[in-house]
Amino acid sequence: MSIERKMRPTHVIGPTGEPLTLGDLPPANTRRWVIRRKAEVVAAVRGGLLSLDEACQRYTLSVEEFLSWQRAIDRDGLPGLRTTRVQQYRSAEAR
């Protein structure tokens, strides 16, 4: 077990204010990404429960997709995660 793994928290505070552990995270085979699941993964990475690389590998996400979730939360809170990727691209093209 690496030193990095030993120093990781056992839980972080999730998007609902409740403790979130690795066991509480969405399954690795998740295909339907609802707001809560996206927010849980972002909270896990921000809190050090998972690294960005681990999250992307576990959920087959690109770094850009994960970062778009993070930006959406920073910009608009949890409702910002409702925006689909297609809508994001369309709004970017309109600018």
Side-chain angles (χ1 to χ4, degrees):
M1 185 177 270
S2 72
I3 293 172
E4 178 183 322
R5 176 63 79 187
K6 289 180 186 175
M7 296 179 65
R8 289 189 180 187
T10 58
H11 71 279
V12 297
I13 301 302
T16 63
E18 298 290 321
L20 182 66
T21 67
L22 282 175
D24 298 323
L25 291 175
N29 63 350
T30 297
R31 295 291 172 249
R32 187 167 181 267
W33 285 100
V34 296
I35 292 170
R36 179 187 47 82
R37 291 179 184 148
K38 291 177 185 180
E40 287 172 345
V41 174
V42 171
V45 172
R46 284 185 167 170
L49 204 55
L50 284 177
S51 71
L52 174 59
D53 289 337
E54 289 169 329
C56 289
Q57 184 175 19
R58 179 176 178 159
Y59 297 112
T60 319
L61 301 171
S62 67
V63 171
E64 293 78 18
E65 185 169 16
F66 174 85
L67 293 175
S68 75
W69 294 355
Q70 193 166 265
R71 280 190 304 273
I73 290 173
D74 291 344
R75 186 181 56 240
D76 301 313
L78 295 182
L81 292 173
R82 285 190 187 126
T83 305
T84 65
R85 294 177 79 187
V86 172
Q87 289 170 328
Q88 288 175 0
Y89 293 142
R90 286 182 185 155
S91 65
E93 290 172 359
R95 290 183 211 152

